Amino acid sequence: MKLIQATHLTDFRQIISYLQVLSLWILVALLPFRMGVIPRWAMIVAGVLYFIDYGVNKRWIGWKWTKDKWLYVIMIVYYLCIFIWHIGSHTHTSRFSFVLEERLPFVLCGMIGIMGLNKDVKLKHICYVMIVSAVVTSLYIIYHCDGCFFLQSPMKQSLLFTQSRIQWVNSHMMYNLYLNTTLIFAFYLLTREKISRAIRVLVVLACLWFFYLLCLTEGRVGIITGLMLGASFILIYSYKRGLKWFVPILIGYAVLCTGIIAQHQRFTASKIEHEPRWMIWNANIDIIMEKPVIGHGVCDAKELLIEKAIVGDGELQRWYRNRINTVYNGNQNKIQPHNAFLEAWGEFGIVGLCLLFCIFLFPLTMYPKENRIYMLLIIGCFCIQSMFDSFFSPLLYSLAIIFFTSQSETLQANGSQTPDVV
């Protein structure tokens, strides 16, 4: 009787564990989409199941503190800065609640990072989930395109894909970020995991498809990041395989990149010279210089930027008035610094800027060391994004770091290495 009860208890614990893993897969698969009702509920369910699994399976057994966990403490502290800097502020806008929700993953993922990830979560499976999700969402976008997508010219395909993606999935900044992050996970799968030849071919084809999608995008950050990742993959692969094919492949790739950039409409000298971000960044620097050490807080910093964007009759004001009417649907709150570093500095002063740098740089000191090159690519990808956009997807970044370091304690204890099949 006791044996049967023990067996039932074991089965129940395993079911809870698998449900938690499944909920995490679903959450990761939904990350390309805007944080609407379904993705929000997916995050809630995954979080609740994580804590249930943690209690039912007694995940705290064997827990110990490691230096890696300081990153997650820093993430939580960065989130708490929102409340600390809001104390005594006379400005309270909708920006406050928006930022609380936007950066909540720093707290949730920080707690998961400190407490430890479910050991049934395998990096290999996460790679498959991201690849499948990226492919399915791209086909979903194409399905909603008007006309026969694959019979159109590249320029027309770009227009159709852009219009459909904006309506049905997400902005180019966020969708391209997911594609580039997926490319890094796919590269890990190809170089660090033992997979069959058929699966390897499918993964390579998926990567080529992602590169094609990035070439169609109107987003310069996405395509430049993708091309830089491609160059990094070539360098890493050549280093491991030898230099026999390195020079001709690199030359061919450089020619390909030059052609892609040359035909892109938003890489013209005129577009770069008149890029509105130059004006927005100058306005942000002026705001920062008013309180460069302590910052303004999330509400005051936002209000100051909105004021600079709409008061007066300069080039920045004229550009923003047109954008508010044609793109933002009259919503002034969509005005943003377009730079996460300037945003952190303006909100929390030197403290916020240092914390953000720590969030990006500290993972390079974390275990396992054999995954450090992929961590570097992840950080590089998100740093580039953060230089041109205020919102750099804390959930995607935090989960990526957790996935690549989830077995750090086991690897340190056992001295084991992930198989390298490059």
Side-chain angles (χ1 to χ4, degrees), residues 276-284 305 316 319-320 336-338:
R277 280 186 174 88
W278 302 122
M279 299 183 292
I280 298 171
W281 292 341
N282 285 331
N284 271 279
L305 180 59
L316 175 63
W319 181 84
Y320 256 126
Q336 55 145 314
H338 286 280

Side-chain angles (χ1 to χ4, degrees), residues 269-323:
S270 175
K271 286 287 186 181
I272 295 176
E273 182 181 353
H274 296 94
E275 168 59 49
R277 280 186 174 88
W278 302 122
M279 299 183 292
I280 298 171
W281 292 341
N282 285 331
N284 271 279
I285 291 173
D286 291 339
I287 292 171
I288 289 170
M289 289 301 102
E290 295 178 14
K291 292 183 177 180
V293 177
I294 62 174
H296 298 274
V298 296
C299 293
D300 285 334
K302 181 76 167 185
E303 290 300 300
L304 288 170
L305 180 59
I306 292 175
E307 182 180 350
K308 278 188 171 291
I310 62 177
V311 176
D313 195 34
E315 186 178 357
L316 175 63
Q317 290 78 19
R318 290 193 296 271
W319 181 84
Y320 256 126
R321 277 197 288 270
N322 176 66
R323 191 166 184 85

Side-chain angles (χ1 to χ4, degrees), residues 29-36 39 133 137 140 168-170 174-175:
L30 290 174
L31 288 179
F33 294 89
R34 292 183 181 89
M35 188 52 73
S133 177
T137 53
Y140 177 74
W168 297 101
V169 180
N170 212 330
M174 296 312 304
Y175 188 69

